[in-house]
Amino acid sequence: MSKQTAPLFQLADVSYAYIPGHPVLSDINLQLYPAQNLVILGANGSGKSTLLKILAGLVHPTSGQISAFGQELTEKKLQDPAFLSEFRQRVGFIFQNSDAQLFSATVRDELAFAPLQLGLSAEQVEQRIIETADLLGITPLLDRPPYKLSGGEKKKVALACVLTANPEVLFLDEPTNGLDPRTQFWLVEFLASLQNAGKTIITATHDLSIVEEIAQRVIVLRENHTVAADGTPFEIFSDRELLLDVNLIHERSHFHIGGAKNHG
Ligand code: ADP
């Protein structure tokens, strides 16, 4: 990525602790560029989800600075309704557990929520619902209550809810968790199509099998909550010692580049 392009996100010495004195992120320095699709990789508990939430403005660094779209992102700024509304339109967050995201009586109401918040007219809202449901293949589900859907269907509805706002950047937390193989395959293909449409996709995962398909850049978090490595999927997956060291593979794993498998 050209260094002339302004970064979308910049983190300078960012640390975070849920409990004082027990950091779950330590001194993270990062610059993320538009259309540079990123995977944050690390063992369970390494801090991936927290880093994703910091980038999305859902939690705020205990120390250090973050800027997004050229402006400093602080708790105070996000309390300004105009700033919050613009920021929320530009980024979408897909939670690991779709149930945390779905609360309306029907899928149609879920999909209407974001465009209504954006102040679109009734016709425009309906148009967004129809287009997005079609894109995700969930039109037959529109009148169903979300809580009665399967895990894969809920994931599609959660994605649709975020996409109705047409964000530039999509954050996904462990998106393949709990999905059957066919839905996982569909998801990876769908994310690739979003990237081709110009979205920036930032994904936290420990699922090595999806990384090469959805990322040009990988940041690896160590279990001590620091950045262990930053490179292309090829560079990261060529470094078996690194993957062992950060607990992403076991020494008996049959791991190979281009179809990562973890039998650990
Ligand atoms: P990952 O996504 O890599 O599994 P997380 O960012 O979810 O890691 O969590 C990092 C660490 O922070 C873990 O030790 C986890 O138990 C702890 N943690 C996460 N959320 C909370 C919370 N709300 N309160 C206290 N500790 C938390």
Side-chain angles (χ1 to χ4, degrees):
M1 183 61 53
S2 158
K3 294 288 177 270
Q4 260 83 64
T5 313
L8 270 185
F9 296 92
Q10 289 195 77
L11 272 67
D13 298 324
V14 164
S15 296
Y16 186 80
Y18 291 100
I19 301 161
H22 297 274
V24 300
L25 290 172
S26 290
D27 293 327
I28 308 290
N29 289 285
L30 279 182
Q31 298 201 328
L32 306 182
Y33 292 90
Q36 186 184 54
N37 299 296
L38 176 80
V39 161
I40 302 166
L41 205 55
N44 284 337
S46 57
K48 305 180 294 293
S49 177
T50 305
L51 178 55
L52 206 64
K53 287 176 183 158
I54 284 181
L55 288 164
L58 298 173
V59 300
H60 304 286
T62 310
S63 62
Q65 284 87 43
I66 170 167
S67 67
F69 308 109
Q71 291 200 59
E72 203 183 345
L73 190 64
T74 60
E75 195 165 4
K76 191 159 182 280
K77 276 227 177 114
L78 285 166
Q79 283 162 1
D80 169 9
F83 183 88
L84 178 68
S85 156
E86 194 198 328
F87 184 72
R88 288 277 158 259
Q89 189 178 344
R90 297 181 83 170
V91 307
F93 198 99
I94 315 290
F95 288 86
Q96 182 172 343
N97 173 7
S98 303
D99 289 323
Q101 197 150 359
L102 303 175
F103 48 83
S104 300
T106 65
V107 170
R108 183 184 299 280
D109 290 348
E110 291 290 357
L111 267 57
F113 186 79
L116 284 171
Q117 293 281 100
L118 294 176
L120 300 189
S121 71
E123 293 91 290
Q124 288 169 322
V125 171
E126 186 57 22
Q127 192 61 28
R128 289 253 175 130
I129 293 172
I130 291 169
E131 285 171 7
T132 314
D134 186 48
L135 186 69
L136 275 294
I138 56 167
T139 306
L141 306 180
L142 280 175
D143 295 318
R144 303 260 306 271
Y147 73 92
K148 286 196 175 163
L149 303 178
S150 72
E153 289 169 338
K154 283 182 186 173
K155 187 61 80 182
K156 289 182 180 180
V157 173
L159 264 165
C161 292
V162 165
L163 290 174
T164 51
N166 197 19
E168 290 164 49
V169 181
L170 230 66
F171 295 102
L172 295 111
D173 194 359
E174 299 284 2
T176 52
N177 259 16
L179 298 182
D180 62 64
R182 194 183 307 131
T183 313
Q184 279 192 28
F185 185 79
W186 171 88
L187 181 67
V188 166
E189 300 265 293
F190 184 71
L191 294 178
S193 73
L194 290 178
Q195 293 176 354
N196 288 336
K199 308 280 183 208
T200 303
I201 313 255
I202 302 178
T203 308
T205 190
H206 65 271
D207 181 354
L208 302 183
S209 72
I210 64 170
V211 175
E212 287 165 283
E213 315 268 6
I214 63 167
Q216 289 94 49
R217 180 178 175 192
V218 181
I219 287 163
V220 183
L221 291 183
R222 216 180 267 291
E223 288 176 291
N224 71 357
H225 315 295
T226 59
V227 174
D230 181 349
T232 64
F234 183 82
E235 286 164 348
I236 300 298
F237 288 162
S238 302
D239 193 343
R240 189 177 163 84
E241 284 304 310
L242 166 76
L243 297 176
L244 281 167
D245 192 36
V246 299
N247 193 20
L248 279 167
I249 60 171
H250 186 267
E251 55 188 35
R252 288 173 60 198
S253 295
H254 301 290
F255 176 77
H256 60 94
I257 300 163
K261 284 198 176 72
N262 186 358
H263 297 182

